[in-house]
């Protein structure tokens, strides 16, 4: 009959289920049709069967339409979220650069000979600080060593440091008054107070520290000694037993 024409296998399986006709999952469309046509009083019920099939097809199409709409909505939301995130990242990068330039301008003398530009940018010498993994006290010590090595004037240290810090830490510096925002000693104390590890964290760092492939043994020993000394400071240990020293 013509009404079978556009029915999918899934529609016919649903129809058979509604009519109480058992068909296997592997049954073909022809086999399902024959099973339905074999029910008692099929000829008398054919109009009802046709109407039921149309209802099942309409329900399937409606579900497919809703599924498609949900998928399109999900894709649109993901695109919008990605766009917002990209805009936010650009804004953060812009604000950090703006803050860095402002600090450089504050520290630049108005009536002196222009300062020599550092031979290397600090961002080329050090990775950005990760407050979740790194120790700020050791990071600042390494920063100071590198800054001296490339002959960066100390009154420019804060502006170079900001480029190596995550946005949250840079904003902490930006909230300081203009009088101290470029004072490296003040900023250092501020960061140490907020982000320095506890004695227990230093103990874990000391016990688990492993030399990375891109560092030398001198730096590794320095880092290890720093973790040990900071661990002792946190415990307020001032002298060690002679067996340790």
């Amino acid at each position: 009959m013509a009404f079978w024409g556009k029915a999918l296998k899934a529609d016919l399986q649903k129809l058979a289920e509604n009519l109480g006709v058992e068909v296997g999952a592997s049954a073909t469309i022809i086999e399902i049709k024959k099973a339905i046509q074999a029910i008692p009083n099929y000829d008398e019920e054919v109009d009802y069967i046709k109407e039921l099939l149309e209802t099942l097809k309409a329900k399937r199409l409606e579900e497919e339409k809703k599924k498609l709409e949900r998928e399109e909505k999900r894709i649109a939301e993901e695109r919008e979220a990605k766009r917002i995130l990209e805009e936010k990242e650009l804004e953060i990068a812009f604000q950090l650069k703006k803050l860095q330039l402002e600090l450089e301008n504050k520290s630049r003398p108005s009536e002196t000979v222009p300062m020599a530009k550092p031979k290397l940018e600090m961002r080329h010498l050090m990775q950005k600080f990760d407050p979740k993994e790194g120790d700020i006290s050791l990071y600042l010590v390494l920063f100071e060593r590198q800054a001296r090595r490339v002959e960066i004037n100390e009154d420019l240290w804060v502006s170079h440091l900001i480029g190596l810090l995550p946005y949250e830490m840079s904003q902490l510096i930006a909230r300081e008054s203009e009088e101290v925002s470029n004072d490296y000693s003040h900023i250092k104390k501020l960061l140490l107070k907020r982000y320095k590890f506890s004695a227990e964290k230093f103990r874990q760092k000391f016990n688990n520290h492993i030399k990375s492939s891109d560092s030398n043994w001198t730096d590794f020993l320095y880092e290890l000694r720093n973790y040990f000394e900071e661990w002792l400071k946190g415990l307020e240990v001032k002298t060690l037993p002679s067996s340790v020293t």
Side-chain angles (χ1 to χ4, degrees):
M1 292 187 177
F3 70 84
W4 298 110
K6 296 181 180 180
L8 300 181
K9 180 179 177 179
D11 299 327
L12 296 177
Q13 287 176 322
K14 280 285 186 182
L15 178 62
E17 181 182 342
N18 278 267
L19 294 173
V21 178
E22 294 186 6
V23 292
S26 60
T28 64
I29 290 178
I30 294 176
E31 290 171 341
I32 298 173
K33 288 180 181 178
K34 287 182 178 180
I36 293 173
Q37 289 170 337
I39 64 175
N41 303 320
Y42 171 78
D43 292 334
E44 297 175 7
E45 299 290 337
V46 69
D47 290 336
Y48 166 73
I49 293 173
K50 177 182 178 181
E51 183 179 345
L52 179 58
L53 179 59
E54 291 299 322
T55 300
L56 293 172
K57 285 196 295 183
K59 184 177 180 181
R60 172 180 57 80
L61 291 172
E62 181 64 23
E63 290 176 351
E64 289 177 352
K65 180 182 177 182
K66 289 181 179 179
K67 183 178 179 181
L68 180 61
E69 289 174 348
R70 287 195 299 269
E71 182 64 14
E72 290 176 345
K73 182 180 179 182
R74 182 188 66 80
I75 293 173
E77 289 176 347
E78 286 183 354
R79 286 176 178 170
E80 179 64 12
K82 183 179 179 182
R83 183 189 66 79
I84 293 173
L85 180 61
E86 289 175 348
E87 288 183 354
K88 186 175 181 181
E89 289 175 346
L90 286 173
E91 176 64 19
I92 290 174
F94 171 76
Q95 292 297 337
L96 286 176
K97 188 63 178 178
K98 180 181 177 182
L99 180 60
Q100 187 176 4
L101 291 174
E102 288 175 353
L103 289 172
E104 287 178 356
N105 289 334
K106 290 177 186 177
S107 63
R108 187 175 292 117
S110 57
E111 298 180 358
T112 57
V113 178
M115 298 179 183
K117 187 176 181 180
K119 298 175 183 178
L120 290 172
E121 294 285 344
M122 291 298 291
R123 58 190 175 87
H124 296 149
L125 300 174
M126 298 183 66
Q127 293 183 343
K128 281 202 168 190
F129 178 66
D130 182 358
K132 294 180 181 178
E133 297 294 333
D135 163 41
I136 188 62
S137 60
L138 175 60
Y139 188 85
L140 291 177
V141 170
L142 295 176
F143 169 82
E144 292 165 13
R145 290 175 63 188
Q146 293 288 12
R148 293 190 183 97
R149 185 179 300 172
V150 295
E151 300 176 355
I152 297 176
N153 291 310
E154 188 169 343
D155 53 2
L156 291 174
W157 282 9
V158 174
S159 62
H160 283 272
L161 177 63
I162 282 180
L164 298 170
L165 300 178
Y167 180 70
E168 177 188 348
M169 297 177 72
S170 298
Q171 285 299 298
L172 180 67
I173 296 174
R175 286 194 289 269
E176 292 297 293
S177 64
E178 185 175 346
E179 291 75 16
V180 297
S181 62
N182 206 44
D183 182 345
Y184 178 77
S185 297
H186 173 80
I187 297 303
K188 180 178 180 179
K189 291 177 182 178
L190 179 71
L191 294 176
L192 288 173
K193 182 178 179 181
R194 180 73 174 269
Y195 295 100
K196 188 174 181 179
F197 284 159
S198 63
E200 173 60 20
K201 188 68 174 180
F202 277 119
R203 183 191 69 79
Q204 295 174 9
K205 284 285 185 180
F206 175 75
N207 289 331
N208 301 325
H209 194 44
I210 300 174
K211 178 184 174 297
S212 61
S213 58
D214 58 349
S215 67
N216 55 51
W217 285 105
T218 301
D219 288 340
F220 172 70
L221 180 61
Y222 184 86
E223 292 165 1
L224 203 60
R225 182 185 295 115
N226 181 78
Y227 290 143
F228 181 69
E229 291 175 351
E230 293 296 335
W231 174 21
L232 296 184
K233 286 180 184 178
L235 296 175
E236 298 183 355
V237 175
K238 297 182 179 179
T239 58
L240 293 175
S242 57
S243 59
V244 176
T245 57

